[in-house]
């Protein structure tokens, strides 16, 4: 899953596969948030990884640098609101 933020809606979608995919081998979460022990612990709880349908399934979390760079580079530009109407000539 790319662009995973760990929100309840994201976790609910992923949890469907965790609890129902009996032949799942690897599920990779490419997060666009900074990974911390607290965040990872919360995700394991939300996804109910201990109750996985496939006994050999692995779940990998990584920080997707592309999305992090894109988000931070573009979000910093959004604070420039000094123009009243950018489409008004």
């Amino acid at each position: 899953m790319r662009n995973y933020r760990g929100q309840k809606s994201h976790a609910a979608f992923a949890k469907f596969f965790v609890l129902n995919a009996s032949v799942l081998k690897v599920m990779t979460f490419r997060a666009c948030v900074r990974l911390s022990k607290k965040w990872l612990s919360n995700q394991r709880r939300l996804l109910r990884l201990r109750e996985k349908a496939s006994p050999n399934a692995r779940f990998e979390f990584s920080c997707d640098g592309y999305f992090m760079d894109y988000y931070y580079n573009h979000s910093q530009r959004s604070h420039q609101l000094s123009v009243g109407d950018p489409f008004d000539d």
Side-chain angles (χ1 to χ4, degrees), residues 1-7 10-11 13-14 26-35 39-40 43 47 58-71:
M1 297 185 71
R2 290 195 79 160
N3 203 17
Y4 184 79
R5 293 188 184 120
Q7 300 164 332
H10 292 186
F13 178 74
V26 177
M27 189 167 193
T28 304
F29 297 87
R30 301 280 298 197
C32 60
V33 297
R34 301 234 184 261
L35 304 180
W39 187 86
L40 289 169
Q43 292 308 303
L47 295 169
R58 289 189 342 249
F59 302 93
E60 300 173 354
F61 291 87
S62 64
C63 182
D64 195 333
Y66 171 78
F67 287 107
M68 290 294 287
D69 292 343
Y70 180 85
Y71 174 75

Side-chain angles (χ1 to χ4, degrees), residues 68-81:
M68 290 294 287
D69 292 343
Y70 180 85
Y71 174 75
Y72 287 110
N73 288 337
H74 288 79
S75 67
Q76 291 178 10
R77 292 185 206 157
S78 66
H79 73 278
Q80 179 56 279
L81 302 175

Side-chain angles (χ1 to χ4, degrees), residues 10-44:
H10 292 186
F13 178 74
K15 184 170 59 173
F16 172 80
F17 297 99
V18 171
L19 298 178
N20 296 299
S22 59
V23 293
L24 182 66
K25 293 181 181 180
V26 177
M27 189 167 193
T28 304
F29 297 87
R30 301 280 298 197
C32 60
V33 297
R34 301 234 184 261
L35 304 180
S36 68
K37 288 182 181 182
K38 182 178 179 180
W39 187 86
L40 289 169
S41 175
N42 188 43
Q43 292 308 303
R44 288 185 182 99

